[in-house]
Amino acid sequence: MEKASLRQLIDDQNLLFSTNSTKEIGYRVTKLKKLKSLLKSKEEELYSAIHKDFKKSRFDTFTTELALLYLDIDEAVSKVQKWSKRKRVRTNWLNFPAKSYIYPEPLGTCLVIGAWNYPIQLSLAPVIAAIAAGNTVVLKPSEIPSGTSSIIADIVNSNFDKSFLHVVEGGVEVTTNLLALKWDKIFFTGSVNVGRIVYKAAAEYLTPVTLELGGKSPAFVTASCNLDVTVNRLVWGKFLNAGQTCIAPDYVMVESSIKDKFLEKLKNRIIEMEFSFENDNYVQIIDQKNFQRLKEMVSEDQTYFSGKLDETTRYFPPTVMSNVSFSDKVMEEEIFGPILPVLTYDNLSEAISAVKRYPKPLSCYVFTGESAVKTRIIDEISFGGGAVNDAIMHITNSNLPFGGVGNSGMGNYHGKAGFDAFTHKKSVLDKATWLDPSAKYPPYTSKKLKVIRWILGV
Ligand code: NAD
């Protein structure tokens, strides 16, 4: 799409927004329900597009993409009335007599930029939140899973008015053109480096941003954990989507006394889960560039368990690395693939300090039976969100705002937090006129100051 057409698109969306129709609760609910029924009717096409893009199965596509969106829509539909209501808050004495309110107000025309790894969910979940909050939206899905991007564009663009919701497909050039325009909100999911580009572009117009980025998310495994359950949940969380999950455990810090037992159980469980394309429980590495990047992270002498890589089908088997140290290549950047480095520790304080030398991660997981360890890790390490004795699953609880901190992002969404991400809280003091004390008006006197001090109590 050319620059001029993009500008026209924003103008049209701004115009619709200015009519106030997108703010009506009925309008929001109708559009959300319409989106759900379209997705339901196009499930088969979505399954086949995403399978073609990186062999993602129906099971995974339903559970990790579509189901989350359906639940998001249902929640927004049932709660949008409540979320959008003005909220009365207490008024301070200084303002007596008055009432005080917070009016949730949609921001306007919003840009959503998606990532490739969960291409349906990461594109449409912010869109659902933006619609629920009463905005108009332009979505730019990731161009990498091109089939999925094109079916999303088709579903949206053939069924919604352009001036309300529109998908613009494309890569860096298109995104750069979009970012040069003035938006009322930009919601970005992707890498830290592109996050910086988005943040800089947004600064030009002081546009508020939500940045959902990545990082190296640690998983602590202590000697007191339930080892079988820990291994089950870690193997599932790490190798889901072949490790191409922003909140996948990036590496494990295991207490050295249980390291051997842990590694053996890890290997057995990986074998038992039979991660393969034939079983429809494993996906391809998204492209050759990422395949080669991952290959270079693995050193043979540290490989504890792996399998046969297949470059032509981009099959990268679950790979466990042991005897890894923080200076190894695999520990330099976010892995974002099916490689699990296992590091050991004897002293929890040192382990925590080592993790804290990295930028703040998107997630942190603690597998332990000791509540003191759990509390220490949660209190001492700053991270976006996480779980105790589980991995990934916190994302499925929409009452938990989802997002990063520091390098892993800013702002959050899901459930009410998603509505808030696309909403301005407009504060209004509604004052009565029957009392208008003269103390605040000039000419000022020491007596008036005394009255003010008495009212303020300071
Ligand atoms: P990416 O940053 O390469 O791409 C994200 C989006 O930005 C795409 O739509 C792409 O077209 C666009 N883009 C790429 N380069 C650009 C540029 N130079 N200028 C403007 N736009 C550009 O990220 P990705 O490879 O799609 O996703 C992987 C990263 O995203 C990982 O770091 C992962 O941790 C992170 N991620 C985070 C979350 C989260 O919810 N926090 C979710 C998924 C992925």
Side-chain angles (χ1 to χ4, degrees), residues 8 13 28 30 40 111 120 176 180 234 248 254 289 306 346 392 396 409 442:
Q8 185 60 51
Q13 292 213 345
R28 307 184 202 187
T30 309
K40 285 208 147 177
L111 173 64
I120 310 171
T176 307
L234 264 178
V254 63
K289 193 173 124 205
S306 187
D346 289 308
I392 309 265
T396 63

Side-chain angles (χ1 to χ4, degrees), residues 113-117 122 140-143 170-172 175-176 179 188-191 194 197 212-215 246 334 336 362 402:
I113 303 173
W116 59 260
N117 56 328
L122 293 175
K140 208 298 289 175
S142 171
E143 71 283 15
V172 177
T175 321
T176 307
L179 288 172
F188 171 80
T189 304
S191 60
V194 180
I197 295 173
E212 296 284 344
L213 312 177
C246 56
E334 180 185 4
F336 216 55
L362 184 57
F402 179 85

Side-chain angles (χ1 to χ4, degrees), residues 364-416:
C364 178
Y365 303 111
V366 191
F367 292 88
T368 186
E370 293 157 274
S371 76
V373 170
K374 166 181 87 179
T375 309
R376 262 198 80 184
I377 290 173
I378 294 172
D379 286 353
E380 293 182 27
I381 300 177
S382 177
F383 56 90
V388 175
N389 291 319
D390 208 348
I392 309 265
M393 292 305 288
H394 61 293
I395 198 173
T396 63
N397 181 356
S398 67
N399 296 315
L400 292 172
F402 179 85
V405 57
N407 257 43
S408 54
M410 66 178 70
N412 37 51
Y413 73 131
H414 291 177
K416 172 71 162 53

Side-chain angles (χ1 to χ4, degrees), residues 184-234:
D184 296 304
K185 167 87 192 188
I186 300 176
F187 189 108
F188 171 80
T189 304
S191 60
V192 175
N193 282 341
V194 180
R196 281 195 190 98
I197 295 173
V198 171
Y199 202 12
K200 277 187 191 154
E204 180 65 24
Y205 294 107
L206 296 177
T207 302
V209 293
T210 297
L211 300 177
E212 296 284 344
L213 312 177
K216 282 189 95 58
S217 300
F220 287 86
V221 176
T222 77
S224 64
C225 74
N226 177 328
L227 201 53
D228 287 328
V229 174
T230 298
V231 167
N232 260 345
R233 294 178 183 174
L234 264 178

